[in-house]
C-alpha cells in the first residue's frame, strides 16, 4: 500500500470514529440528557471533522454531522403523500368527556380485558413524520392535511436532536412521528433580536416553529433552535409482533437513538388519568416549552387494533385540553411608548390579575391598527391571554360590561414624550415620532448604544440614562463622551468611585471594534450580525457612509429595504453631525485589522467573559489576547456569551453562566483552544 493510501485509510478511520463519537454525544445529550463532555469539547470534535472533510472531501457522507446544513435554498416545498395518513386526535375539555372516552373504550372490548393508558404532554408544536432508510435519515414531511404534507427534509435535518443515523439495532426501514417545537427561552432570544431589527416580535412558539420549518433557506432554520420529541412509530406488517405496547415503542425509539419526552406516565384506570390532569394544571408552566394539554393513549396495540379509527381520528387516543389561560380584568389606561426608532406602541395598564402562573398588570396592544380593529377602550373589562405563555396580550373587550361615555382610543397626533409630529409608516402599521431628539427616543438610543453587545459601557444603565437625559446633561449620543466628573457626582447614587468607574468605562468604549459602533448607532434593520458583515466589508465608517445602494445590495446579506435604511441614516444632518462629533471625541471608526494576528482569526465571532484570577494573564492581557485573535471580550455574562473563562475564586458570573447555559471553560481549555501550550 502506498504512503498516500495509508494516510487516506487512516483519515477514513478517523472520520468514521469522529462521526460515531459525535453521534454518541448527541444521543447522550438529547436522548438521555446525560452529556459526558463539555460543549467546548463537542465543538472541537466537529471542528476536527470539518477539517478532515476539507482535506478529503470524498469522505463526506450524507449523515456526517457536518452535513446538517445543506445550504441549498429551496424554491418550493414538494408535496409528499403519507404512506399511512396522519390522523388527528379528538379533543376533550373536562373530566366528564374524559370519562366518556374511557367508557367508549371499555364498551368496545371484552369485560375482562386489561387496558392500561399512557399519558403524555401534548406539545404545542408541529407534527412531523420522518423516514429512515437503511437507518439513515432520508425524508421529513409535515402533517399537512393529514394525507399529503410538505417535504421539509433539509430544514428538519438542521435540528440537532434528530439523529442522522440510527443505531444498528433499529429496523432497516422506519417511519417515526413526533412533534417539532421551540422552547420558550429560544423564542425570547429570537424576539430580542427582532426587536433590535425593528421587526414585530413572534407571538408564540407554535407559529414560530411552523414558520421556521417553511423557511426556504436551511441556514436560517439552523439559526433558530428547534427541538423534537418522537411519540409514535409506524410498524411494518412483519414487525407488529415485535412491539406489543406503546411503552415498548417509546423504549425502542430511545434505544434506536430517537429523543422521547421523558414526561410520560402509565395509568391503570381512569381515576389515575384524572389525577394526572389535575397535577399538570400548574406543572405545565415549569416545562420551559408550551403544552396545551395531555394525550391519553391506549397502551396495548392489540386493543388499539380492536378499537380502530374513524375517518378523522383513532378511537384509542384522546387529547385532554387544558382550560384556556384567560383572565378578565379592568383596563385602567393605555400608555403610548416611544421606541428607539420612534415607533409608538400602545401598552395596556390593567388591574393586576393572575394569569398562567404569574401576576399580570401590563399587556401589549401591538399597534394602533390592531387596537382599532378590536376597539379596545380605557375603562373596558378585557379578556387577556398569554400568547405562548410569554407576552400577555389583550384579546377583546367585553362589550356587555362597557361603561357609558367611553371613546375609541386614537393614535396621538403628537408624540407623548416630546410633542412633535407623528406620522404613519407608509409600508407598515406603525406610527412614529419623527423628532430625532425626542427624549424618549434618545433614552432608548443611548441604552442601545451603551449595551454590552454594542459599545459595552459598564455602569451606563437605564436608571442613569434616565437621570442624564432628564437633567439635560446628555442631549445626544456624543454627549456621553463629554461627561465630566463634576457632573456625575451630583447625580443620585453616584459617588466619586462609581463616577470614576463610569468615566473609565466610557473611555474604554472608544476603542471597541467598528462593528460595535455600527450596531450601536441603532440603524433600523441593522442588528449585531449585519453590523459585523458591514464592518468587515467596508472597514471604516467613512466607506460605509459613502456606499451607494448598489454597493450595499451587492452584499448577500443586504436587501433593498436594509440598504435604503442605511442610506437614510447617513443622509440625515443630525446623524452626520453625530459621526463627526464621535470622530473628534476619538471614538474608533476603523476596523482594527493590523493588530489581529495574521491568519489567526480563530476566535472570530466568539464572545468571552472572564471571571476570577488567571495564572497566565492579567485581565487586560487576556482581553487583548482574545481581541488579537478576532474574538470579543465583554464584561458581563448574557445569553449571547459563548464562553466564560473561569480562573481562581470566580465571582457571581459563574453562577449566572451556569443558569444561562453558557459554556464554561478553564484557562487551560482556553489555551488549548488558541493552540498555545499549557504551562
Ligand atoms: S399522537 C394518531 N402524541 O397533537 C395519534 N400527538 O391534535 C397521533 N401532539 O397532530 C398523534 N403531542 O401534532 C400525539 N404526545 C403526543 C403529542 C401529539 C402533541 C400533536 C400532534 C397531533 C396533534 C393532534
Amino acid at each position: 500500500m502506498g504512503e498516500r493510501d495509508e494516510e487516506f485509510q487512516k483519515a477514513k478511520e478517523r472520520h468514521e470514529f469522529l462521526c460515531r463519537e459525535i453521534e454518541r454525544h448527541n444521543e447522550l445529550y438529547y436522548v438521555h440528557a446525560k452529556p459526558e463532555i463539555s460543549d467546548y469539547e463537542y465543538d472541537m470534535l466537529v471542528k476536527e471533522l470539518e477539517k478532515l472533510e476539507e482535506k478529503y472531501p470524498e469522505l463526506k457522507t450524507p449523515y456526517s454531522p457536518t452535513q446538517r446544513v445543506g445550504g441549498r435554498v429551496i424554491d418550493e416545498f414538494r408535496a409528499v403523500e403519507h404512506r399511512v395518513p396522519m390522523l388527528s386526535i379528538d379533543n376533550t375539555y373536562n373530566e366528564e368527556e374524559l370519562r366518556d372516552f374511557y367508557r367508549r373504550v371499555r364498551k368496545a372490548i371484552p369485560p375482562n380485558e386489561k387496558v392500561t393508558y399512557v399519558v403524555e404532554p401534548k406539545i404545542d408544536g408541529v407534527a412531523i413524520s420522518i423516514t429512515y432508510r437503511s437507518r439513515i435519515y432520508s425524508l421529513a414531511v409535515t402533517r399537512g392535511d393529514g394525507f399529503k404534507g410538505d417535504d421539509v427534509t433539509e430544514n428538519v435535518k438542521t435540528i440537532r436532536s434528530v439523529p442522522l443515523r440510527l443505531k444498528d439495532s433499529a429496523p432497516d426501514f422506519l417511519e417515526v412521528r413526533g412533534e417539532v417545537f421551540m422552547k420558550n427561552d429560544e423564542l425570547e432570544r429570537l424576539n430580542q433580536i427582532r426587536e433590535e431589527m425593528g421587526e414585530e416580535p413572534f407571538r408564540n412558539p407554535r407559529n414560530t416553529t411552523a414558520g421556521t420549518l417553511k423557511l426556504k433557506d436551511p441556514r436560517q432554520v439552523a439559526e433558530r433552535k428547534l427541538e423534537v420529541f418522537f411519540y409514535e412509530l409506524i410498524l411494518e406488517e412483519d414487525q407488529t409482533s415485535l412491539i406489543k405496547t406503546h411503552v415498548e415503542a417509546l423504549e425502542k425509539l430511545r434505544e434506536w437513538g430517537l429523543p422521547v419526552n421523558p414526561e410520560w406516565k402509565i395509568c391503570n384506570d381512569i381515576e389515575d388519568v384524572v389525577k394526572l390532569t389535575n397535577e399538570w394544571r400548574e406543572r405545565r408552566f415549569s416545562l420551559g416549552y408550551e403544552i396545551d394539554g395531555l394525550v391519553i393513549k391506549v397502551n396495548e396495540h392489540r386493543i388499539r387494533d380492536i378499537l380502530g379509527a374513524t375517518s378523522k381520528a383513532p378511537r384509542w387516543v384522546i387529547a385532554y385540553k387544558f382550560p384556556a389561560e384567560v383572565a378578565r380584568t379592568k383596563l385602567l389606561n393605555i400608555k403610548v411608548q416611544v421606541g428607539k426608532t420612534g415607533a409608538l406602541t400602545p401598552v395596556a395598564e390593567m388591574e393586576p390579575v393572575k394569569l398562567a402562573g404569574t401576576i399580570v398588570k401590563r399587556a401589549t396592544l401591538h399597534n394602533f391598527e390592531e387596537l382599532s380593529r378590536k376597539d379596545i377602550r380605557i375603562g373596558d373589562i378585557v379578556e387577556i391571554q398569554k400568547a405562548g405563555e410569554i407576552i400577555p396580550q389583550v384579546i377583546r373587550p367585553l362589550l356587555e360590561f362597557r361603561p357609558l361615555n367611553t371613546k375609541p382610543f386614537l393614535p396621538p397626533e403628537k408624540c407623548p414624550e416630546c410633542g412633535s409630529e407623528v406620522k404613519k409608516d407608509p409600508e407598515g402599521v406603525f406610527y412614529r415620532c419623527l423628532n430625532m431628539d425626542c427624549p424618549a427616543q434618545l433614552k432608548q438610543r443611548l441604552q442601545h448604544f451603551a449595551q454590552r453587545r454594542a459599545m459595552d459601557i459598564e455602569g451606563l444603565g437605564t436608571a442613569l440614562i434616565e437621570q442624564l437625559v432628564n437633567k439635560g446633561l446628555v442631549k445626544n449620543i456624543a454627549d456621553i463622551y463629554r461627561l465630566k466628573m463634576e457632573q456625575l457626582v451630583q447625580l443620585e447614587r453616584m459617588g466619586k468611585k462609581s463616577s470614576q468607574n463610569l468615566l473609565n468605562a466610557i473611555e474604554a468604549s472608544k476603542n471597541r471594534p467598528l462593528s460595535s459602533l455600527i450596531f450601536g448607532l441603532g440603524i433600523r434593520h441593522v442588528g449585531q450580525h449585519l453590523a459585523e458583515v458591514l464592518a468587515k466589508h467596508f472597514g471604516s465608517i467613512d466607506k460605509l457612509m459613502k456606499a451607494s445602494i448598489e454597493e450595499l445590495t451587492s452584499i448577500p446579506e443586504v436587501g433593498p429595504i436594509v440598504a435604503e435604511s442605511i442610506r437614510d441614516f447617513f443622509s440625515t444632518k443630525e446623524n452626520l453631525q453625530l459621526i463627526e462629533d464621535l470622530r473628534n471625541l476619538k471614538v474608533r471608526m476603523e476596523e482594527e485589522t493590523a493588530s489581529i494576528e495574521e491568519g489567526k482569526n480563530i476566535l472570530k465571532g466568539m464572545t468571552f467573559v472572564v471571571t476570577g484570577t488567571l495564572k497566565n494573564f492579567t485581565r487586560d492581557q487576556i482581553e487583548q489576547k482574545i481581541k488579537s485573535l478576532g474574538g470579543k471580550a465583554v464584561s458581563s455574562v448574557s445569553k449571547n456569551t459563548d464562553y466564560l473563562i473561569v480562573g481562581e475564586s470566580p465571582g457571581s458570573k459563574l453562577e449566572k453562566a451556569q443558569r444561562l447555559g453558557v459554556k464554561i471553560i478553564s484557562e487551560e481549555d482556553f489555551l488549548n483552544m488558541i493552540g498555545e501550550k499549557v504551562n
Side-chain angles (χ1 to χ4, degrees):
M1 204 159 42
E3 214 173 279
R4 238 205 93 80
D5 292 344
E6 212 170 290
E7 198 185 300
F8 181 75
Q9 200 51 37
K10 269 211 181 118
K12 199 170 154 191
E13 276 163 28
R14 183 72 186 158
H15 184 271
E16 179 63 16
F17 169 78
L18 285 169
C19 284
R20 294 252 177 218
E21 190 64 1
I22 292 167
E23 278 163 24
R24 190 174 72 85
H25 289 300
N26 253 347
E27 186 189 343
L28 282 166
Y29 190 95
Y30 290 108
V31 182
H32 305 288
K34 275 193 200 124
E36 274 177 12
I37 56 173
S38 68
D39 291 1
Y40 168 69
E41 287 164 306
Y42 178 92
D43 292 347
M44 288 302 117
L45 291 174
V46 177
K47 258 213 179 109
E48 188 187 340
L49 187 64
E50 279 167 1
K51 281 222 176 102
L52 201 60
E53 290 183 354
E54 224 170 87
K55 196 162 166 203
Y56 302 99
E58 62 270 44
L59 287 179
K60 273 186 207 161
T61 53
Y63 52 83
S64 161
T66 61
Q67 300 305 303
R68 288 210 178 260
V69 189
R72 272 187 294 131
V73 175
I74 299 143
D75 271 342
E76 209 164 334
F77 295 100
R78 185 172 66 102
V80 177
E81 193 160 340
H82 294 295
R83 289 172 50 252
V84 177
M86 288 181 85
L87 298 181
S88 66
I89 317 182
D90 287 331
N91 288 325
T92 60
Y93 296 90
N94 55 47
E95 192 181 321
E96 222 16 71
E97 291 174 3
L98 204 54
R99 287 179 187 275
D100 285 345
F101 164 73
Y102 178 78
R103 279 192 281 270
R104 280 199 304 275
V105 170
R106 290 285 2 164
K107 234 173 109 183
I109 56 169
N112 49 359
E113 279 287 354
K114 178 152 173 63
V115 185
T116 55
Y117 299 86
V118 176
V119 177
E120 298 169 2
K122 184 172 188 309
I123 301 179
D124 204 5
V126 174
I128 195 89
S129 154
I130 298 186
T131 305
Y132 288 86
R133 287 177 202 276
S134 311
R135 284 176 283 279
I136 290 167
Y137 174 85
S138 77
L139 178 70
V141 184
T142 60
R143 177 168 179 269
D145 62 4
F147 300 98
K148 247 187 196 164
D150 287 327
D151 178 345
V152 286
T153 308
E154 289 302 317
N155 284 351
V156 169
K157 200 175 180 184
T158 67
I159 304 174
R160 278 216 352 218
S161 48
V162 172
L164 298 180
R165 183 160 53 164
L166 297 179
K167 290 298 185 49
D168 294 342
S169 58
D172 213 46
F173 178 92
L174 181 68
E175 181 182 347
V176 287
R177 292 177 178 180
E179 200 81 356
V180 178
F181 63 100
M182 183 179 279
K183 287 195 176 149
N184 295 339
D185 56 2
E186 174 65 2
L187 182 72
E188 220 176 301
R189 184 184 73 85
L190 294 178
N191 275 344
Q192 266 177 23
I193 298 172
R194 289 181 76 81
E195 206 174 304
E196 251 165 41
M197 306 283 279
E199 289 165 13
E200 274 219 65
F202 293 125
R203 300 253 178 116
N204 65 55
R206 208 203 83 81
N207 292 350
T208 315
T209 303
T212 303
L213 285 180
K214 290 293 182 62
L215 287 172
K216 304 249 156 114
D217 184 353
R219 279 174 307 183
Q220 284 184 325
V221 181
E223 278 168 21
R224 303 182 185 173
K225 229 172 79 199
L226 294 176
E227 317 238 343
V228 70
F229 277 136
F230 293 95
Y231 44 63
E232 291 292 327
L233 52 83
I234 309 291
L235 287 173
E236 297 298 293
E237 287 293 318
D238 59 334
Q239 296 166 346
T240 44
S241 63
L242 240 79
I243 295 169
K244 294 203 164 67
T245 64
H246 187 56
V247 171
E248 279 170 33
L250 294 177
E251 279 164 356
K252 284 287 178 219
L253 287 171
R254 256 172 74 97
E255 232 178 84
W256 297 334
L258 295 148
V260 168
N261 192 343
E263 297 288 349
W264 57 268
K265 276 243 164 70
I266 186 150
C267 291
N268 284 314
D269 57 28
I270 189 69
E271 302 310 323
D272 285 359
V273 175
V274 170
K275 236 194 248 158
L276 267 182
T277 60
N278 290 324
E279 279 173 29
W280 273 103
R281 196 148 300 160
E282 281 299 315
R283 243 201 98 194
R284 56 182 287 215
F285 300 117
S286 60
L287 281 174
Y289 52 84
E290 278 292 283
I291 69 172
D292 60 346
L294 298 172
V295 183
I296 296 108
K297 298 173 177 177
V298 167
N299 187 22
E300 293 76 14
H301 285 172
R302 194 170 43 85
I303 297 181
R304 287 189 180 189
D305 291 341
I306 299 176
L307 290 163
T310 67
S311 62
K312 284 203 210 104
R315 293 198 192 87
W316 46 262
V317 58
I318 199 90
Y320 170 82
K321 298 269 252 184
F322 295 126
E325 283 291 319
V326 177
R328 288 177 178 191
T329 184
K330 187 170 176 179
L331 181 60
L332 301 173
N333 194 14
I334 296 176
K335 224 182 137 193
V336 179
Q337 274 182 355
V338 187
K340 161 167 69 75
T341 54
L344 305 186
T345 313
V347 176
E349 296 183 335
M350 302 161 303
E351 252 165 31
V353 60
K354 197 166 175 223
L355 176 67
T358 54
I359 304 282
V360 173
K361 52 185 181 215
R362 285 156 67 84
T364 172
L365 292 160
H366 298 296
N367 56 57
F368 285 99
E369 202 164 80
E370 188 160 328
L371 181 61
S372 118
R373 185 163 42 79
K374 291 181 176 169
D375 188 23
I376 296 164
R377 304 180 182 191
I378 296 173
D380 273 341
I381 301 296
V382 290
E383 252 179 15
I384 60 167
Q385 190 183 31
K386 273 200 181 169
E389 319 302 333
I390 297 170
I391 321 147
Q393 60 180 38
V394 179
I395 316 169
R396 61 180 182 130
L398 298 171
L399 295 179
E400 60 272 36
F401 300 123
R402 176 167 283 175
L404 295 174
N405 303 328
T406 59
K407 294 189 298 281
F409 192 87
L410 299 177
E413 280 164 18
K414 298 211 155 24
C415 170
E417 293 281 342
C418 71
S420 25
E421 193 196 352
V422 162
K423 259 223 164 120
K424 190 164 189 243
D425 254 7
E427 84 269 28
V429 288
F430 280 106
Y431 286 79
R432 283 178 205 281
C433 162
L434 297 183
N435 173 16
M436 284 291 295
D437 296 326
C438 170
Q441 279 191 56
L442 177 60
K443 285 174 199 168
Q444 300 266 350
R445 278 208 307 277
L446 289 167
Q447 247 173 59
H448 178 80
F449 185 81
Q451 67 172 307
R452 192 180 9 75
R453 297 188 304 130
M455 297 298 268
D456 193 18
I457 308 181
E458 207 177 350
L460 189 55
T462 332
L464 195 58
I465 289 174
E466 199 64 42
Q467 289 195 64
L468 290 169
V469 174
N470 292 349
K471 289 221 157 65
L473 294 176
V474 170
K475 294 203 175 64
N476 55 49
I477 288 176
D479 280 348
I480 296 176
Y481 294 98
R482 300 189 179 102
L483 285 168
K484 304 244 150 36
M485 186 65 153
E486 309 86 80
Q487 295 171 317
L488 292 177
V489 288
Q490 291 168 17
L491 300 172
E492 275 168 47
R493 288 188 298 274
M494 284 298 279
K496 240 192 144 132
K497 179 137 188 277
S498 41
S499 300
Q500 190 54 54
N501 286 344
L502 179 63
L503 288 173
N504 293 347
I506 292 173
E507 191 57 34
S509 77
K510 289 182 180 173
N511 223 2
R512 297 276 178 255
L514 177 62
S515 60
S516 303
L517 175 66
I518 296 176
F519 173 58
L521 289 173
I523 306 169
R524 261 181 89 197
H525 303 303
V526 178
Q528 205 179 5
H529 172 67
L530 194 55
E532 276 161 22
V533 171
L534 294 171
K536 201 165 159 219
H537 184 94
F538 291 102
S540 75
I541 278 279
D542 289 330
K543 291 215 178 98
L544 173 62
M545 274 163 75
K546 288 192 200 115
S548 63
I549 295 279
E550 291 71 44
E551 183 167 9
L552 286 164
T553 47
S554 75
I555 305 170
E557 280 95 339
V558 179
I561 295 181
V562 181
E564 197 71 51
S565 156
I566 296 170
R567 282 303 308 147
D568 280 356
F569 186 90
F570 291 114
S571 336
T572 318
K573 203 173 83 216
E574 288 85 352
N575 292 337
L576 294 176
Q577 185 63 49
L578 169 63
I579 302 291
E580 236 6 77
D581 288 352
L582 290 176
R583 191 192 312 279
N584 294 333
L585 290 159
K586 303 275 179 294
V587 173
R588 189 146 67 85
M589 308 239 148
E590 266 138 45
E591 192 72 303
E592 188 187 35
T593 38
S595 67
I596 293 186
E597 289 179 37
E598 200 55 38
K600 273 195 163 181
N601 218 352
I602 49 177
L603 302 185
K604 193 175 155 282
M606 303 186 198
T607 301
F608 292 83
V609 176
V610 183
T611 183
T613 316
L614 303 178
K615 278 187 251 142
N616 301 288
F617 304 90
T618 66
R619 202 51 79 81
D620 267 351
Q621 283 168 341
I622 193 153
E623 288 182 359
Q624 254 347 95
K625 188 87 210 167
I626 292 168
K627 278 187 210 156
S628 75
L629 294 170
K632 203 166 161 189
V634 299
S635 52
S636 55
V637 175
S638 78
K639 281 187 194 149
N640 302 302
T641 310
D642 293 300
Y643 296 101
L644 177 74
I645 304 173
V646 182
E648 199 69 46
S649 350
S652 62
K653 288 175 192 170
L654 178 57
E655 194 222 347
K656 186 161 181 204
Q658 282 164 338
R659 193 154 33 83
L660 294 177
V662 167
K663 298 168 204 172
I664 295 164
I665 60 174
S666 66
E667 186 176 350
E668 286 72 35
D669 290 334
F670 176 75
L671 286 168
N672 275 327
M673 192 171 188
I674 63 174
E676 292 198 4
K677 241 182 101 126
V678 180
N679 290 323

